[in-house]
Structure formats: structure tokens, C-alpha cells
């Protein structure tokens, strides 16, 4: 009897496992682990522009294979046509893939294109950047661009035209050479969630004008293209006072600076000593050829005698601010009696406007990688389309996470070795991770590219100090203060004061160009010229 019960239990277990596998199979729409060569499944574009060579290659430090971008500065295109198109209209659809930037990413893309059904007669070997897609998803970085793209193409039911709609404020690309997994979860409730390494970085509503640019649902009204601004429309809020007269004592020709006649040469000034001398330790190279290389001259060094003296070379009286300087006179501004405000065209109903309860995306019929990159070593792996988020999670845990943990430990060891016993490198990495998260905050979007640029410049410093890290934090903190508290508007200054400041600025620029190399002294008090300055030149 016991044997019978054990047999039944075993049968039930097999049945349950078969059911689980069946459920997994049902939820899995497409999956490629690249354990085997991609040839036969993926078709390389034969278009002339795409000369980059794809390779079936191991991920560095692993026995796991992937699809490798093998050459620098090339365009790449490869596509895999699905057995059946995948609908994006009903239920949940999960898009997931791994990318490892083994040599970093300074300028290039590492994203996937989920192609909609192509026109009749289209062939996979003709895949290029003109092949229409429904979704573009993944890393892209070059110059000011540093984002994980999520772009959808949607057909306007009124006009029949397709438009690209970009996710606003997408997350940044991880700044390392580790394996990362990117997940986009399209949910039936009109929302999409973007995950990096299983952590949610962005959630957006397809029909919200705050989440996509341009919005999928267009504005109800638009500016009338036929409405023109009247010729007599005056948009000037202020105008020069027509009744103002320049004061008789206003001298527009007075210079901004004059020689300080009261200044005296500092005691100990070395008039006969040059600021630079020939390096006494320099010797003429043995391979120097006077006929070919010219007469050899020793390189210059700072004159050591000038180190303790107030200055060297010919002394001249410094310049000081001219108390009589007023600059060019301008009439003060007054309120414009004819001011009508800023003109705007009238609004009319938008002929392209439509209303929908959910987006009408075209199905996905193929997966393509069509990129240009200056870096090689980009490895794609474990590309998945599924109906269930849990399946994507299980693939992350099983396929990606073990590799990532190995790479992370190796990186920690390398950083510890580079950072010394105090573990500075590890500390820096944590700080930069926080800074990148701060840069992704939505209300910092208009400053995002500047913040990312500062962070990236800091990361490139091999001997980064805490002071540099603090300076980056200060930049972000300053922006936050401006956003939170705003700037208090100053009361309008008198026109004479404004014109003086403007003239000073203009004169300063002119003076700096005309008197290049001169040292200028602030204020009216006499001050000795600074040491280490170049010899003064007369203009």
C-alpha cells in the first residue's frame, strides 16, 4: 500500500511540474539565451551601411554566451522574425533583455527595436533604420544624451499618421562594465514600468501628457496658423523716456581706468632681474641637429630670485578705477503707454485631436538591433518577451543575477586595490550611484544633462578626492535651492546705474582684449603689481 501511495505522490509531483512548465511555456512568448550560435535564428542586414560584424561570444569571465558587437565605429543591424505577432493591446506584455558594456559606452546605442508587421515583400536581410517599429527600448549614450530609451510609435486614428512618443525623464544608463538587465512592463491599465536590474526606475501612463513627449493624445486646440499679428501691435513693456536729456556733466569718453599716480614702487623690487631664466640644469639633447632643428635654447624656469621679492622686471604704476567714469548715457525707461502684451495667435480646434481609452499600438512581429556605436564589446543576452512579470523575474534571478554577483565582487576587489586600504574607490562608487539617482528626479529634468555631465567628468578622475565629490553635491544642492526658493526679483535700478554697469561690462571686455597680459588692480587704493605676472606691454 505504501508503495502505491508513493507512486501516486510521484505521479502527482510529475503532473504538477508538467503543469508549471506548461504555464511557463504559455507565458513565454519569445526567449533567446544565445547558448547556441545565432545563425539561422537571427538575420544580419545586408544593407551597405551595416558593416559591423556580429559574433557569438562568451561574456568576459563567464561561460555564458551572448550576441557580441565586435568592432568599433560601425553600424550594426540584425533581426529575428517571430513565429506570430505579439499583441500589445490586451493584458500584460513584458520586454526584457541583458546588455553588458564590456568596454564601457562613450558614444553609441545598445537598445532593441520591436518591429511592427512590415509591408508586403519586406525581407529580414533588408532591415535598417527605416524599418518601422512599435517600441524602441534600451540604453543610449553620447554627449549630453544618457538615457534608457523607451519610445513608442502610435497611429493617429484621425490622420492615419504614425508619431514617435518619447518617455519623459527616462533613467540613466548604469556607468560601469557589468551585466545589466532592462525590463519594460506594459500593463493593461495604460501604464508602463521601467526596471533596471529588477529595480523600478520609472512608471508612466501612456495617455498622460506629463509622461510622454509629444503626448499620445494631442491637444484639443492649436494655434491658428492663419492668424497674423497686427502691424500696430506693440509688445514693448518699457520704452526709453523721450523727454529725458543727457546731463551736461556726463562724459561718455572718460576711461574706465586711469594710472594710479600715488602708487610707489615696493621696496625690494628687482628691476634688473627677469622673471624667467634659462634652466641651468638643462642640457642640449645628443640627437639635436642645429641645421635641422635650429639653434638650441635652454627651456625657461621661474627666476628663484623673484620668489621672495615683491616683483621683478620693469615696474610701472598700476591702473585704478576712474572715479569720473560714467560710460555711455542712455535715457531711462518708462512704461510704454501703447503696450498691448505679448501677442499670441487665437486657438482653434485641433483637427488631429482624438480620444481613446487605451493606446492602439501595432503588434510586435520581429525583434531587431539596429545601432551605431563607437565602442566594441557590447554583449546582448537573454532576450525575452513574456506575458507574466513573474517569469521575467525568474529569468533575472536564474540567468542574470549569478553573473552580476560575480562581476560585482570582482569590481569591488579591483576598486579596493585601486582605492587603497581606506576603500576610497568603493566609497566613491556609492556616492556616484546616489548622484545618478538624484539626476533622475523629475523636477530636475531641465538641469539633468548638466548634472550628468558634471558627474561623468568626476568619474573620469582616477584620483578623485572627496573635495571633487562635494563640489558635485554643491552643484545639485544649488539647483535644488533655486527650484525650492526661487530667486527674488530685484527692483528695477535707475537707468543711469544700469547703463553704467552695462558700459563697465562692455569696457571690461574691450580692455581685456586690448591689454592682454596686464595685471589690473581692484579699487582705487594703490597696490603693488602681483608677482609672477608677465611683463607689462604698452598699447
Amino acid at each position: 500500500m505504501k508503495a502505491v501511495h508513493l507512486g501516486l505522490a510521484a505521479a502527482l509531483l510529475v503532473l504538477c511540474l508538467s503543469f508549471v512548465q506548461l504555464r511557463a511555456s504559455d507565458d513565454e512568448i519569445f526567449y533567446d539565451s544565445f547558448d547556441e550560435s545565432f545563425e539561422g535564428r537571427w538575420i544580419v542586414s545586408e544593407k551597405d551601411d551595416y558593416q559591423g560584424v556580429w559574433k557569438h561570444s562568451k561574456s568576459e569571465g563567464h561561460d555564458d554566451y551572448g550576441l557580441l558587437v565586435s568592432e568599433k565605429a560601425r553600424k550594426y543591424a540584425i533581426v529575428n522574425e517571430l513565429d506570430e505577432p505579439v499583441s500589445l493591446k490586451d493584458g500584460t506584455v513584458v520586454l526584457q533583455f541583458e546588455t553588458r558594456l564590456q568596454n564601457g559606452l562613450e558614444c553609441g546605442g545598445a537598445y532593441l527595436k520591436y518591429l511592427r508587421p512590415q509591408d508586403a515583400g519586406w525581407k529580414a536581410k533588408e532591415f535598417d533604420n527605416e524599418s518601422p517599429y512599435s517600441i524602441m527600448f534600451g540604453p543610449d549614450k553620447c554627449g549630453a544624451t544618457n538615457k534608457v530609451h523607451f519610445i513608442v510609435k502610435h497611429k493617429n486614428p484621425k490622420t492615419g499618421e504614425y508619431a514617435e512618443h518619447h518617455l519623459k525623464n527616462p533613467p540613466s544608463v548604469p556607468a560601469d562594465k557589468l551585466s545589466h538587465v532592462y525590463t519594460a512592463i506594459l500593463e493593461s491599465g495604460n501604464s508602463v514600468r521601467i526596471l533596471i536590474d529588477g529595480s523600478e526606475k520609472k512608471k508612466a501612463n501612456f495617455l498622460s501628457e506629463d509622461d510622454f513627449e509629444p503626448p499620445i493624445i494631442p491637444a484639443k486646440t492649436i494655434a491658428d496658423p492663419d492668424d497674423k499679428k497686427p502691424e500696430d501691435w506693440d509688445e514693448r513693456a518699457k520704452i526709453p523716456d523721450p523727454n529725458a536729456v543727457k546731463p551736461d556733466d556726463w562724459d561718455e569718453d572718460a576711461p574706465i581706468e586711469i594710472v594710479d599716480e600715488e602708487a610707489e614702487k615696493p621696496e625690494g623690487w628687482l628691476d634688473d632681474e627677469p622673471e624667467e631664466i634659462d634652466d641651468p640644469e638643462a642640457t642640449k639633447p645628443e640627437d639635436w641637429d642645429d641645421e635641422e632643428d635650429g639653434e638650441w635654447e635652454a627651456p625657461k624656469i621661474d627666476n628663484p630670485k623673484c620668489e621672495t621679492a615683491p616683483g621683478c622686471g620693469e615696474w610701472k604704476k598700476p591702473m585704478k578705477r576712474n572715479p569720473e567714469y560714467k560710460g555711455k548715457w542712455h535715457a531711462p525707461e518708462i512704461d510704454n503707454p501703447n503696450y498691448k502684451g505679448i501677442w499670441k495667435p487665437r486657438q482653434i480646434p485641433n483637427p488631429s485631436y482624438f480620444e481613446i481609452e487605451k493606446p492602439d499600438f501595432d503588434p510586435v512581429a520581429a525583434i531587431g538591433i539596429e545601432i551605431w556605436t563607437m565602442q566594441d564589446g557590447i554583449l546582448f543576452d537573454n532576450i525575452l518577451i513574456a506575458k507574466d512579470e513573474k517569469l521575467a523575474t525568474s529569468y533575472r534571478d536564474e540567468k542574470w543575477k549569478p553573473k552580476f554577483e560575480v562581476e560585482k565582487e570582482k569590481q569591488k576587489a579591483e576598486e579596493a586595490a585601486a582605492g587603497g586600504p581606506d576603500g576610497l574607490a568603493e566609497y566613491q562608487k556609492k556616492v556616484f550611484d546616489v548622484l545618478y539617482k538624484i539626476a533622475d528626479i523629475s523636477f530636475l529634468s531641465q538641469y539633468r544633462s548638466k548634472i550628468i555631465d558634471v558627474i561623468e567628468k568626476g568619474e573620469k578622475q582616477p584620483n578623485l578626492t572627496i573635495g571633487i565629490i562635494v563640489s558635485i553635491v554643491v552643484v545639485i544642492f544649488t539647483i535644488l535651492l533655486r527650484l525650492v526658493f526661487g530667486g527674488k526679483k530685484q527692483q528695477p535700478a535707475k537707468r543711469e546705474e544700469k547703463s553704467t554697469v552695462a558700459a563697465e561690462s562692455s569696457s571690461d571686455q574691450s580692455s581685456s582684449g586690448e591689454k592682454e597680459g596686464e595685471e589690473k588692480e581692484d579699487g582705487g587704493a594703490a597696490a603693488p603689481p602681483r608677482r609672477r605676472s608677465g611683463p607689462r606691454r604698452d598699447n
Side-chain angles (χ1 to χ4, degrees):
M1 253 337 251
K2 184 180 290 186
V4 173
H5 288 161
L6 288 173
L8 287 173
L12 286 172
L13 179 60
V14 170
L15 183 62
C16 290
L17 289 173
S18 300
F19 178 72
V20 170
Q21 290 175 355
L22 180 62
R23 287 290 305 276
S25 177
D26 287 343
D27 291 332
E28 180 184 295
I29 301 172
F30 173 88
Y31 176 66
D32 197 331
S33 65
F34 296 100
D35 290 338
E36 303 296 332
S37 174
F38 61 86
E39 294 179 2
R41 302 189 312 279
W42 293 79
I43 306 300
V44 177
S45 175
E46 296 181 1
K47 290 293 188 72
D48 292 339
D49 286 347
Y50 302 97
Q51 300 296 319
V53 176
W54 295 96
K55 289 186 178 180
H56 182 238
S57 177
K58 286 184 179 181
S59 179
E60 184 180 335
H62 305 289
D63 288 330
D64 185 56
Y65 282 85
L67 182 63
L68 179 70
V69 169
S70 67
E71 299 176 305
K72 299 179 180 179
R74 299 285 188 185
K75 286 185 177 181
Y76 292 80
I78 193 168
V79 67
N80 188 319
E81 294 185 275
L82 305 183
D83 294 335
E84 294 183 4
V86 179
S87 173
L88 300 177
K89 295 182 180 181
D90 301 311
T92 298
V93 175
V94 182
L95 311 175
Q96 182 168 283
F97 68 97
E98 293 177 27
T99 297
R100 186 180 184 189
L101 310 173
Q102 297 179 115
N103 296 323
L105 186 64
E106 291 298 324
C107 190
Y111 44 77
L112 269 58
K113 288 184 175 181
Y114 298 87
L115 308 184
R116 68 175 188 250
Q118 306 297 297
D119 294 335
W122 181 85
K123 296 180 177 62
K125 64 182 180 181
E126 298 173 350
F127 173 51
D128 61 12
N129 66 322
E130 297 298 326
S131 302
Y133 62 85
S134 290
I135 294 175
M136 189 174 111
F137 173 47
D140 188 20
K141 184 177 180 183
C142 193
T145 298
N146 183 344
K147 64 180 70 174
V148 177
H149 277 299
F150 186 81
I151 306 171
V152 294
K153 281 195 174 182
H154 189 269
K155 184 178 181 180
N156 186 310
K158 283 284 190 71
T159 65
E161 296 179 351
Y162 285 89
E164 285 186 0
H165 304 277
H166 295 241
L167 179 67
K168 289 184 178 179
N169 305 315
S172 302
V173 180
D176 55 43
K177 300 177 183 180
L178 310 181
S179 297
H180 293 283
V181 57
Y182 299 88
T183 310
I185 304 169
L186 288 73
E187 299 172 327
S188 56
N190 289 340
S191 66
V192 60
R193 293 187 289 126
I194 306 299
L195 282 62
I196 301 179
D197 298 343
S199 175
E200 184 174 307
K201 300 296 183 181
K202 182 74 176 182
K203 184 174 183 179
N205 188 303
F206 283 119
L207 303 185
S208 171
E209 64 179 9
D210 296 327
D211 291 339
F212 283 88
E213 178 64 35
I216 289 179
I217 298 179
K220 287 186 177 182
T221 62
I222 59 172
D224 184 354
D226 297 324
D227 192 16
K228 305 299 181 183
K229 182 172 70 174
E231 293 182 359
D232 62 346
W233 191 281
D234 196 338
E235 295 182 324
R236 299 173 300 163
K238 298 280 186 179
I239 60 171
D241 185 353
N243 298 319
V245 179
K246 183 175 71 173
D248 294 336
D249 61 348
W250 193 286
D251 184 0
E252 293 185 329
D253 298 324
I256 189 172
E257 287 186 330
I258 58 175
V259 175
D260 184 0
E261 299 294 348
E262 298 179 358
E264 296 181 357
K265 182 168 66 175
E267 185 177 351
W269 188 278
L270 305 178
D271 298 82
D272 298 328
E273 287 290 340
E275 290 198 330
E276 292 183 333
I277 60 173
D278 291 345
D279 185 353
E281 298 181 1
T283 57
K284 181 178 178 180
E286 294 181 0
D287 59 349
W288 188 276
D289 189 325
D290 290 336
E291 293 184 0
E292 293 185 4
D293 301 325
E295 182 181 354
W296 182 80
E297 294 181 359
K300 299 289 186 179
I301 62 170
D302 291 340
N303 188 343
K305 294 182 179 180
C306 300
E307 293 291 336
T308 56
C312 290
E314 181 185 0
W315 181 84
K316 287 188 176 182
K317 292 184 177 181
M319 303 294 287
K320 70 174 184 179
R321 182 181 176 83
N322 183 3
E324 302 299 323
Y325 172 76
K326 293 184 178 181
K328 186 174 179 59
W329 181 84
H330 296 276
E333 291 192 338
I334 61 173
D335 291 336
N336 183 2
N338 298 320
Y339 176 65
K340 294 184 178 181
I342 303 300
W343 182 85
K344 294 180 180 179
R346 62 175 171 267
Q347 296 289 300
I348 61 173
N350 184 357
S352 300
Y353 175 75
F354 62 88
E355 293 183 0
I356 52 175
E357 293 184 357
K358 58 175 56 181
D360 187 21
F361 298 128
D362 285 347
V364 173
I367 301 175
I369 306 175
E370 188 274 318
I371 58 175
W372 174 88
T373 177
M374 290 300 293
Q375 274 71 49
D376 58 356
I378 301 174
L379 193 78
F380 294 90
D381 199 5
N382 294 317
I383 299 176
L384 171 70
I385 302 179
K387 296 180 182 179
D388 190 348
E389 181 181 350
K390 292 181 180 178
L391 183 61
T393 301
S394 68
Y395 273 109
R396 284 198 305 270
D397 292 342
E398 178 185 350
K399 303 291 185 179
W400 164 77
K401 196 168 186 179
K403 292 185 295 185
F404 179 78
E405 294 297 337
V406 170
E407 295 163 9
K408 192 74 173 176
E409 288 303 316
K410 182 181 179 182
Q411 177 181 269
K412 286 182 179 179
E414 291 174 350
E415 289 176 346
D422 58 357
L424 180 60
E426 178 63 21
Y427 168 78
Q428 294 168 351
K429 180 64 170 62
K430 292 179 180 179
V431 171
F432 282 119
D433 287 343
V434 173
L435 292 176
Y436 274 113
K437 290 178 181 179
I438 293 174
D440 285 333
I441 297 175
S442 58
F443 61 81
L444 290 176
S445 59
Q446 61 178 316
Y447 304 98
R448 185 174 179 277
S449 63
K450 294 182 179 179
I451 296 174
I452 292 296
D453 184 56
V454 173
I455 296 173
E456 288 180 344
K457 287 180 179 178
E459 278 190 311
K460 292 177 182 178
Q461 300 290 333
N463 300 316
L464 192 67
T465 63
I466 295 177
I468 295 177
I469 297 175
V470 171
S471 69
I472 297 173
V473 175
V474 169
V475 171
I476 298 174
F477 185 68
T478 302
I479 294 172
L480 288 172
L481 287 178
R482 289 178 180 175
L483 291 172
V484 174
F485 298 104
K488 293 184 179 180
K489 293 184 177 179
Q490 298 181 353
Q491 295 297 324
K494 294 181 180 179
R495 182 61 187 179
E496 291 84 348
E497 295 175 356
K498 291 168 66 179
S499 61
T500 299
V501 173
E504 289 178 10
S505 175
S506 175
S507 298
D508 281 341
Q509 295 175 5
S510 175
S511 177
S512 64
E514 294 173 357
K515 302 180 181 179
E516 182 180 357
E518 288 191 16
E519 283 292 336
K520 296 182 180 179
E521 302 298 335
D522 296 328
R530 302 174 184 173
R531 291 185 293 116
R532 304 267 54 83
S533 63
R536 184 180 296 273
R537 293 198 297 268
D538 294 327
N539 296 311

